[in-house]
Amino acid sequence: MSPSYDVIVIGLGGMGSAAAHHLSARGARVLGLEKFGPVHDRGSSHGGSRVTRQSYFEDPAYVPLLLRAYELYEELERATGRDIAILSGGVMVGPPESRTVSGALRSATEWDLPHEMLDAKEIRRRFPTLHPYDDEVALFEAKAGLVRPENMVAAHLQLATRQGADLHFEEPVLRWEPYRDGVRVHTAENTYTAGQLVICPGAWAPQLLTDLGVPFTVERQVMYWFQPKGGTEPFRPENHPVYIWEDAAGVQVYGFPAIDGPDLGAKVAFFRKGRVTTPETIDRTVHEDEIRAMADHMSRCIPDLPGTFLKAATCMYSNTPDEHFVLARHPAHPESVTVACGFSGHGFKFVPVVGEILADLALTGATAHPIGLFDPARPLPRLRSSGGTPTAAAPARGARP
């Protein structure tokens, strides 16, 4: 049996890499175990960009964590020299009563966050690439923008290694179990022991956390890159914001400015409603009907965006029934196991602060951060149906201006 550690971290994607950094920064002897290589594209921590925002439509309870995450973005950039966040500004667009708009306004108001409400005419004037219907509005947040997932994972791994963490890649975990006053973890290569275990399994949560009592659903999602019709200059960050756009039927899309040069275009995707899958059976081929559905939807709100399709990539959402996170001590193993999972497609922006929380929980058993919303023992609604691809757009309501 290999030497014992203070903490073993299972999964070194977004959350696990951050946990390894924060734990090792506090002097813990850390072993990190990852099924794939460093900064891989087989899970949910890839794709070049993720939206970050503080006027959080999902729930105002997330806002304090976001404020801390923004501080940690800056610390991570200073410590590693990597680009982590680009705060280009962002708009939450849709009918005034839509969850995207009304929820964002609720968080902005409750936490006194700087923001502006724009009517359709002002949206078009300020952001000419966007073509809302006359009855759509937007909440504009100057501090919204994007984070770089690959850079963030690489930065946390860099710091963890510098701080003495022992990181093992291409070493899948087979099982774990309580052992004496801690845990024992079996991999394809060895068996390890530690006083504490932190599990950040991503889409593998249904396999590694069968006793957690949370019915996870893993969904296949697709990200698309298009070359705009007139080129990328109007879609540069100084001209074109990040956005989440909800139509009258409740279908949400999100997208980004062109940040990777004229040849890589601009990225867009549907938000949620992907096909149910597993990490082993996910279809990583993006099909022509999916590309057409994305282009058709975007042509109604950003007509110049779907000029030429460039590429697409798949990732996975690991959903809880209420789409809130699971971030807590394991209720069946509260003395030795901490879990972070079920981030439901909106978790990556929280990566640095989740790492901080996981270090708190593993080393002290508690955290000062507000995480009550993420208790796995909370009442959960029934699983929502999620069988189809999000290809059906809302019926047209007249020509866009």
Side-chain angles (χ1 to χ4, degrees), residues 27-115:
R29 291 173 300 146
V30 176
L31 169 65
L33 297 170
E34 169 56 52
K35 180 181 181 72
F36 302 106
V39 199
H40 64 82
D41 64 356
R42 311 308 290 172
S44 305
S45 298
H46 61 283
S49 56
R50 292 287 188 274
V51 174
T52 190
R53 50 199 164 91
Q54 296 181 353
S55 299
Y56 215 63
F57 70 76
E58 286 85 348
D59 196 299
Y62 288 88
V63 173
L65 300 180
L66 287 160
L67 298 177
R68 177 57 178 156
Y70 271 58
E71 294 174 348
L72 292 170
Y73 298 160
E74 295 183 5
E75 290 184 15
L76 199 57
E77 288 179 333
R78 288 195 298 269
T80 66
R82 298 177 184 268
D83 292 331
I84 301 297
I86 300 173
L87 302 185
S88 59
V91 287
M92 308 299 113
V93 187
E97 70 280 4
S98 66
R99 183 188 183 204
T100 301
V101 175
S102 65
L105 181 58
R106 177 188 172 201
S107 285
T109 302
E110 185 169 319
W111 288 96
D112 196 25
L113 301 173
H115 68 283

Side-chain angles (χ1 to χ4, degrees), residues 8 41 104 154 159 161 223 231 271 318-319:
I8 296 174
D41 64 356
L159 292 178
T161 300
M223 303 170 282
F271 192 32
S318 304
N319 295 328

Side-chain angles (χ1 to χ4, degrees), residues 218-400:
V218 177
E219 291 184 0
R220 170 186 177 273
Q221 305 291 338
V222 182
M223 303 170 282
Y224 305 82
W225 285 259
F226 290 94
Q227 181 65 257
K229 293 177 184 177
T232 56
E233 186 60 30
F235 288 81
R236 294 285 302 155
E238 58 269 25
N239 302 318
H240 180 77
V242 300
Y243 55 89
I244 299 176
W245 199 317
E246 181 176 343
D247 68 16
V251 176
Q252 292 170 300
V253 294
Y254 65 95
F256 302 86
I259 54 174
D260 291 313
D263 296 331
L264 292 181
K267 175 184 163 187
V268 66
F270 286 105
F271 192 32
R272 308 193 193 286
K273 298 183 180 178
R275 296 172 180 165
V276 175
T277 189
T278 70
E280 292 73 30
T281 62
I282 182 172
D283 179 4
R284 295 195 181 273
T285 299
V286 178
H287 303 278
E288 288 296 327
D289 62 326
E290 296 178 300
I291 298 167
R292 285 195 303 271
M294 186 81 261
D296 288 347
H297 190 99
M298 295 313 299
S299 68
R300 287 189 271 274
C301 50
I302 307 180
D304 288 341
L305 177 58
T308 303
F309 170 71
L310 297 175
K311 66 174 183 174
T314 59
C315 68
M316 290 176 283
Y317 287 2
S318 304
N319 295 328
T320 62
D322 61 5
E323 295 173 349
H324 294 309
F325 309 159
V326 172
L327 183 55
R329 294 292 249 176
H330 194 306
H333 311 281
E335 300 303 319
S336 57
V337 181
T338 302
V339 295
C341 53
F343 288 95
S344 301
H346 62 111
F348 198 90
K349 63 186 72 64
F350 296 90
V351 157
V353 69
V354 168
E356 191 170 66
I357 291 166
L358 292 173
D360 291 343
L361 294 175
L363 298 179
T364 71
T367 182
H369 289 293
I371 61 170
L373 183 63
F374 313 133
D375 187 340
R378 66 188 184 266
L380 290 169
R382 291 183 178 181
L383 285 171
R384 64 184 177 88
S385 175
S386 179
T389 53
T391 57
R397 291 178 287 157
R400 291 183 180 275

